[in-house]
Amino acid sequence: MRQRTPIEGREPVAVLLSPRPAVVAAARRAGARTVVVAPVPSVPSDREGAERRVRADWRDHRRLVGAVGPIEEVRDGRAAVFGFDAASALAAARANEELGLPGTPTAAVTALMDKAALRVRSNALHPARPVSFARCGRAATLPFVATLIGYPCVVKPRAGSDGEGVRLVRDEAEASAAALAYPEVTDLLVEEYLEGPELAVEALSRAGRHRVLGWARRRPGPGLTATGHELPVALDPGTAEAVRALVRGVLDLAGHGDGPSHTEVVLTRHGPRLIEAHARPGGEEFARLLRLAHGTDVLGLALASGLGLPDPERSPRAACAGLRYVDFPPGRRLDGVRPGIAAARAVPGVVRVQLEIPPGATVRRAPTGARHHAYVLATAATPGSLARVLDRATGLLGQVPPARRVPQPEGGLA
């Protein structure tokens, strides 16, 4: 693949694979023109100002390359392909390599997706106290493997994403129940449960140099779920440097020399330990949180770096910023959610209220991993006042009038 160098030309093009509106807006802030590639017309992206649209199924590599290759800026090397979720990040890496454009190497993306190989690599960074883990290829043997690791332990698909299929197993009964949830022939990782505060860390790499952009503390919920994130995070200098060293070490070992990354870390009593790492930024709501709290435009920086553009201007910082998720029970029809959204938005300090399910739709399943039904972003002068703002807003948002519960088949969140 071509070495990463600034792309010549006044107006480079960001080729975006099914982007959220926030990604298109970030490309504008970075000073790039945009081409949106999606299987169907992307109305939200149109509203955010995408100049061109290409209708193509980018999940098919040949179709993506065939659709993007003839674009003049791609032929001239004044473009790069970007994907900011698990599937599109891999598709973008493959397309950039074939088209001779700069970007994260495909090998680095896949290295970070392979949780077993990544655990082996990360354990090399702290050989005196590695994280115990084992592979499990048959669901029926899960209780035995879990017993070898010790309870509590975490079970996760070796190549999963967004927290899908990740379970906390506390005893043999839960291990037996968990075994029924996976295919009989499977590919699982069983790891020791890491205790301590959790951080989500954003970084941006260029030519092998890793710049940590910021981190937020993850608010734990039941099991392995999260209820949100908060900033700032006060770490002593030694711990902060250990977190940076772990993130940089993991990215080096995976061969991730270019592009954004999102790494989840636990501050254990033995030092920081890796949960997972990804060759993409965190979710849109997490990027917004860092922009509020640090003034750091994670999406804009990633796009500017990939296109050889100057860093976007920093936004004003807030003293404290927080993100809180709101989830609804399966079967709940969101007929009366609009008044709650309006009331939550009216709470002083609330910056954004986002519903990920269309109003009036029926919730089809409980939240899983990083996928939630709604969220609230807010700022305040102190941690205590921030907590009160978020408690008030999420309480109002969650006040959906009871409706007839409708049994729904397995599927997406809505």
Side-chain angles (χ1 to χ4, degrees):
M1 186 181 70
R2 179 188 303 178
Q3 294 294 317
R4 174 184 286 271
T5 57
I7 295 174
E8 296 179 0
R10 293 178 57 190
E11 295 180 313
V13 168
V15 179
L16 309 174
L17 306 184
S18 291
R20 297 285 292 261
V23 174
V24 183
R28 289 210 317 272
R29 292 194 301 272
R33 290 182 293 128
T34 53
V35 173
V36 169
V37 182
V40 295
S42 181
V43 175
S45 296
D46 291 350
R47 287 202 303 266
E48 291 294 334
E51 287 90 353
R52 283 183 281 173
R53 286 150 298 282
V54 175
R55 187 168 183 173
D57 187 354
W58 50 262
R59 295 166 296 186
D60 185 313
H61 177 65
R62 299 305 336 153
R63 289 183 179 179
L64 172 58
V65 172
V68 171
I71 296 174
E72 179 182 355
E73 292 84 357
V74 171
R75 296 199 312 268
D76 294 345
R78 294 183 291 116
V81 185
F82 298 89
F84 286 153
D85 62 29
S88 62
L90 180 58
R94 294 184 64 201
N96 283 326
E97 285 192 344
E98 178 151 342
L99 295 167
L101 302 174
T104 306
T106 301
V109 179
T110 56
L112 293 175
M113 293 173 67
D114 185 340
K115 295 179 176 60
L118 189 60
R119 179 59 69 197
V120 172
R121 290 185 172 104
S122 65
N123 275 346
L125 299 172
H126 35 75
R129 185 58 174 83
V131 176
S132 300
F133 77 98
R135 296 271 300 278
C136 177
R138 299 191 69 87
T141 65
L142 178 56
F144 172 72
V145 177
T147 301
L148 293 178
I149 297 300
Y151 298 109
C153 60
V154 176
V155 182
K156 61 178 70 173
R158 179 184 174 187
S161 62
D162 295 325
E164 291 287 342
V166 180
R167 291 171 174 265
L168 176 63
V169 174
R170 301 176 184 86
D171 53 37
E172 188 172 353
E174 289 191 0
S176 298
L180 301 176
Y182 299 104
E184 175 54 32
V185 178
T186 186
D187 194 356
L188 301 173
L189 200 63
V190 183
E191 301 183 323
E192 68 171 287
Y193 174 65
L194 299 171
E195 295 188 74
E198 298 182 25
L199 300 179
V201 185
E202 295 295 294
L204 183 62
S205 304
R206 186 165 186 174
R209 297 178 64 86
H210 312 297
R211 175 183 170 192
V212 174
L213 301 177
W215 51 60
R217 188 185 301 275
R218 182 179 185 267
R219 284 174 51 92
L224 298 174
T225 62
T227 61
H229 294 83
E230 295 175 345
L231 289 106
V233 182
L235 299 179
D236 65 79
T239 301
E241 184 51 40
V243 169
R244 293 188 186 95
L246 174 61
V247 170
R248 290 166 176 155
V250 167
L251 296 177
D252 281 341
L253 291 169
H256 186 289
D258 290 282
S261 61
H262 177 81
T263 305
E264 299 162 16
V265 175
V266 178
L267 304 180
T268 76
R269 61 190 181 92
H270 303 289
R273 293 293 185 268
L274 174 73
I275 301 178
E276 294 182 0
H278 310 275
R280 55 178 173 80
E284 172 189 348
E285 69 277 14
F286 189 75
R288 289 183 185 274
L289 176 65
L290 284 184
R291 195 169 176 222
L292 283 173
H294 288 320
T296 301
D297 187 353
V298 172
L299 298 177
L301 286 166
L303 289 156
S305 178
L307 294 168
L309 294 168
D311 288 352
E313 293 184 6
R314 294 180 67 89
S315 303
R317 300 186 183 194
C320 297
L323 160 69
R324 194 77 61 82
Y325 296 115
V326 177
D327 295 303
F328 305 100
R332 175 67 62 85
R333 186 173 179 82
L334 304 183
D335 285 325
V337 73
R338 293 185 188 276
I341 293 175
R345 285 174 175 161
V347 174
V350 168
V351 176
R352 184 177 180 84
V353 177
Q354 178 69 30
L355 187 69
E356 302 289 4
I357 299 174
T362 299
V363 178
R364 296 169 65 180
R365 59 184 289 184
T368 56
R371 301 178 66 193
H372 295 272
H373 301 142
Y375 67 83
V376 175
L377 277 171
T379 63
T382 66
S385 58
L386 176 64
R388 289 190 290 273
V389 169
L390 288 169
D391 287 344
R392 175 65 175 157
T394 54
L396 291 167
L397 180 58
Q399 290 177 5
V400 180
R404 182 171 64 89
R405 297 173 66 84
V406 182
Q408 294 291 319
E410 290 294 323
L413 289 178

